[in-house]
Amino acid sequence: CRCCAEGGRHSSILYNILRSDEGAAGQGPRPRRGEGPRGCPCGSRRRVALRSPQAACRAASAVLVKTLRFVQNVPCFQELPLEEQLLLVRSCWAPLLVLGLAQDRVHLETVESAEPSMLQRILTTRRQGGQTPPRGPAPARPHHGHSPGPAGGPHPPSAGEIQAIKGFLAKCWSLDISTKEYAYLKGTVLFNPDLPGLQCTQYIEGLQREAQQALNEHVRLIHRGDEARFAKLNVVLSLLRSINANVIAELFFRPIIGAVNMDDMLLEMLCARL
């Protein structure tokens, strides 16, 4: 990122002293002249968490139920074999969930995750008599902006990942997308013929084409004076491709139900009557 490229701003006297003391305490080698910090101080790589995780996770869970109920009520989807249905849902549940969050206008409020700074680590080491902190339970040094954590433990999404989701929600809200437009967008996302392993590729491709045509016709009928609206909605679809399912699962489901297997949960929900 830009702040890491501009290493000169981190070459203050205080910074060099702290880095020197850190190396003397056995926490790492002293940096060479002109070498920037290992960690990135910019906000895009800081770890963040939901301010009210239980409320946000409940809202996301409700949206996921509504999303799968919508999918189950699509007649063309029900005609597909169960294996095809599960393959489609596994690949698009996260983009569909984010679309549902936008439709229900769910706002995300986040706070930075608590993480000891370099100065705090140095002061803690000095209180212990200048000895190197013991290995094992002591937190590891952050590398490339990723916060440390126990093996198999949670890895909170970064501020940049959360900001991407917030930016997508803001984009949808600025367009004031209608209920029908959301439905056609969801249909376009759901019926993805490019997934490996599909058997009904041509049928699914035709369903996606029908969803796009229906969206185009609806926009021409309702928004006759806005010739660029269909292109703007396609931008929304392109932004959905950057949605990371692991980030969504970590953000909305792990704080409540732990290390859940989303595939198993989706299969159970898909086979149940929601």
Side-chain angles (χ1 to χ4, degrees):
C1 63
R2 182 177 179 181
C3 68
C4 289
E6 299 175 358
R9 70 174 60 183
H10 304 302
S11 59
S12 65
I13 296 176
L14 176 60
Y15 177 80
N16 290 329
I17 292 175
L18 294 178
R19 293 292 290 178
S20 177
D21 288 348
E22 186 180 23
Q27 295 183 2
R30 295 179 60 181
R32 297 184 298 270
R33 173 176 289 185
E35 181 183 10
R38 293 184 179 181
C40 176
C42 71
S44 64
R45 294 193 176 190
R46 293 175 183 170
R47 295 296 168 181
V48 297
L50 294 172
R51 181 182 298 275
S52 302
Q54 292 186 351
C57 293
R58 283 196 300 267
S61 298
V63 171
L64 181 60
V65 172
K66 292 171 60 176
T67 299
L68 292 181
R69 184 182 296 126
F70 166 83
V71 169
Q72 289 176 331
N73 290 332
V74 177
C76 299
F77 182 81
Q78 295 178 352
E79 296 177 1
L80 292 169
L82 180 59
E83 294 78 8
E84 303 278 281
Q85 295 181 22
L86 184 58
L87 185 58
L88 291 174
V89 171
R90 280 175 173 174
S91 68
C92 70
W93 72 268
L96 289 179
L97 176 64
V98 177
L99 272 176
L101 294 175
Q103 185 174 5
D104 288 1
R105 292 190 172 270
V106 176
H107 292 265
L108 302 182
E109 296 184 5
T110 56
V111 293
E112 289 189 14
S113 299
E115 179 176 323
S117 65
M118 181 173 60
L119 180 58
Q120 288 174 322
R121 293 197 304 270
I122 294 174
L123 294 178
T124 302
T125 302
R126 286 177 175 174
R127 292 192 189 102
Q128 296 174 352
Q131 298 179 355
T132 304
R135 295 181 181 179
R141 286 173 57 88
H143 184 62
H144 297 300
H146 296 285
S147 60
H155 301 280
S158 67
E161 292 167 334
I162 303 301
Q163 188 59 39
I165 300 175
K166 287 185 174 182
F168 175 82
L169 297 178
K171 179 67 175 179
C172 292
W173 296 335
S174 67
L175 292 176
D176 195 18
I177 301 176
S178 66
T179 302
K180 283 190 174 182
E181 288 171 334
Y182 273 117
Y184 297 140
L185 289 173
K186 291 176 183 178
T188 303
V189 173
L190 174 62
F191 297 113
N192 182 7
D194 299 327
L195 295 178
L198 289 176
Q199 302 297 325
C200 308
T201 305
Q202 294 183 350
Y203 179 66
I204 294 174
E205 184 178 6
L207 294 177
Q208 187 185 65
R209 191 183 308 111
E210 290 180 8
Q212 278 278 282
Q213 291 175 352
L215 177 61
N216 192 10
E217 293 174 1
H218 175 78
V219 168
R220 289 184 177 182
L221 179 63
I222 304 300
H223 302 275
R224 297 179 180 178
D226 191 355
E227 298 179 356
R229 183 169 182 83
F230 183 70
K232 294 176 182 177
L233 293 176
N234 278 322
V235 170
V236 170
L237 290 174
S238 65
L239 292 176
L240 280 173
R241 298 189 185 99
S242 64
I243 299 298
N244 189 316
N246 293 330
V247 172
I248 300 300
E250 194 72 42
L251 183 65
F252 292 113
F253 298 104
R254 180 152 192 163
I256 299 299
I257 54 181
V260 63
N261 187 316
M262 291 302 300
D263 286 348
D264 293 342
M265 189 174 75
L266 290 171
L267 176 60
E268 182 179 352
M269 297 177 69
L270 192 62
C271 296
R273 291 185 177 183
L274 300 177

